[in-house]
Amino acid sequence: MMEKIKLSQAVIVEGKYDKIKLSDILDAFIVETNGFQIFKDKQRLAFIKKLASERGIIILTDSDHAGFMIRNYIKSGVPEDKITNVYIPDILGKEKRKSEPSKEGKLGVEGMSAEVILKALERAGVTAEKKVNENPVTKYDLYEAGFSGTPNAKQNKKKLLEYLKLPEYLSTHSMLTYINNSMSREEFFELIKDL
């Protein structure tokens, strides 16, 4: 198994299969646009803008027409200096899980090899972050603090997400990734004292 590349920027992808693919390669906060749903989801777009202002974003969409529409929509609402555009090459084929190739016949992010994705990141000037959170917040910490697996966990988590200005439907796993990428363990426990 290859060592994952740690990135400080959030990575924006189209769908869950892209996210699964990148999760094997990158140690980063990965956010899905849910395809064209991003055009109607103001909360998700606001979240992407927040991530862009806090840490910068990497947009890694498919190289077909739809991918560029989504990319351009996000770019229209985020300052240029907060975006790194990563482009995958046009490679014809079909993803293993699909019975038919896409309309344009090109492989998407999920169909790319790890090597091709790493090369695309390198071409865009994306480099690994050296900072490592030596003492991250764990799932057990969230349980102990009442944000997961306890009777009031749902309400507590909702309050925390509101305070952090994160989408209310963010999974506990994604919330934990966000916490560990944006603050130290000490900062987290200091923050929840005030909640």
Side-chain angles (χ1 to χ4, degrees):
M1 195 174 114
M2 63 183 270
E3 190 176 325
K4 292 184 183 185
I5 295 179
K6 184 162 181 58
L7 300 176
S8 57
Q9 303 104 311
V11 181
I12 313 302
V13 296
E14 288 179 54
K16 73 176 182 180
Y17 293 102
D18 300 332
K19 183 175 180 176
I20 290 166
K21 176 71 171 200
L22 291 182
S23 294
D24 289 340
I25 304 166
L26 304 175
D27 177 4
F29 190 61
I30 303 170
V31 178
E32 303 161 43
T33 67
N34 294 323
F36 285 150
Q37 286 181 22
I38 189 69
F39 296 116
K40 295 182 192 137
D41 192 341
K42 300 296 175 218
Q43 191 181 23
R44 187 168 299 263
L45 184 62
F47 179 52
I48 290 170
K49 287 179 181 180
K50 174 182 164 45
L51 290 170
S53 71
E54 288 177 359
R55 65 178 65 200
I57 59 172
I58 294 169
I59 303 178
L60 182 53
T61 56
D62 294 352
S63 58
D64 59 5
H65 182 68
F68 275 89
M69 283 177 68
I70 293 166
R71 181 185 296 272
N72 291 331
Y73 179 69
I74 294 168
K75 283 168 56 176
S76 70
V78 175
E80 206 175 305
D81 66 329
K82 296 291 186 181
I83 298 173
T84 302
N85 283 292
V86 175
Y87 301 100
I88 56 171
D90 288 341
I91 298 175
L92 298 177
K94 89 172 178 60
E95 278 82 14
K96 286 179 186 162
R97 70 177 179 87
K98 295 180 179 174
S99 57
E100 299 279 317
S102 70
K103 196 161 73 172
E104 294 174 40
K106 298 176 184 176
L107 288 176
V109 171
E110 71 170 280
M112 295 289 146
S113 69
E115 293 73 31
V116 169
I117 291 170
L118 292 172
K119 195 61 98 215
L121 287 164
E122 195 179 297
R123 274 195 312 273
V126 175
T127 54
E129 176 70 36
K130 297 293 181 246
K131 186 182 88 181
V132 177
N133 190 341
E134 298 292 340
N135 192 11
V137 177
T138 65
K139 286 183 178 177
Y140 185 73
D141 292 327
L142 291 181
Y143 168 76
E144 285 281 295
F147 295 108
S148 171
T150 59
N152 293 328
K154 196 173 182 179
Q155 298 89 315
N156 293 342
K157 179 183 168 193
K158 188 176 179 190
K159 248 196 268 182
L160 178 60
L161 289 171
E162 276 174 20
Y163 184 82
L164 294 171
K165 294 182 176 54
L166 296 174
E168 68 176 300
Y169 298 114
L170 199 66
S171 71
T172 302
H173 178 75
S174 291
M175 180 180 79
L176 186 61
T177 303
Y178 176 85
I179 289 166
N180 284 320
N181 279 319
S182 58
M183 65 187 80
S184 69
R185 181 185 183 83
E186 293 72 30
E187 289 167 330
F188 171 73
F189 283 108
E190 195 58 40
L191 176 133
I192 63 171
K193 270 198 257 180
D194 301 336
L195 283 178

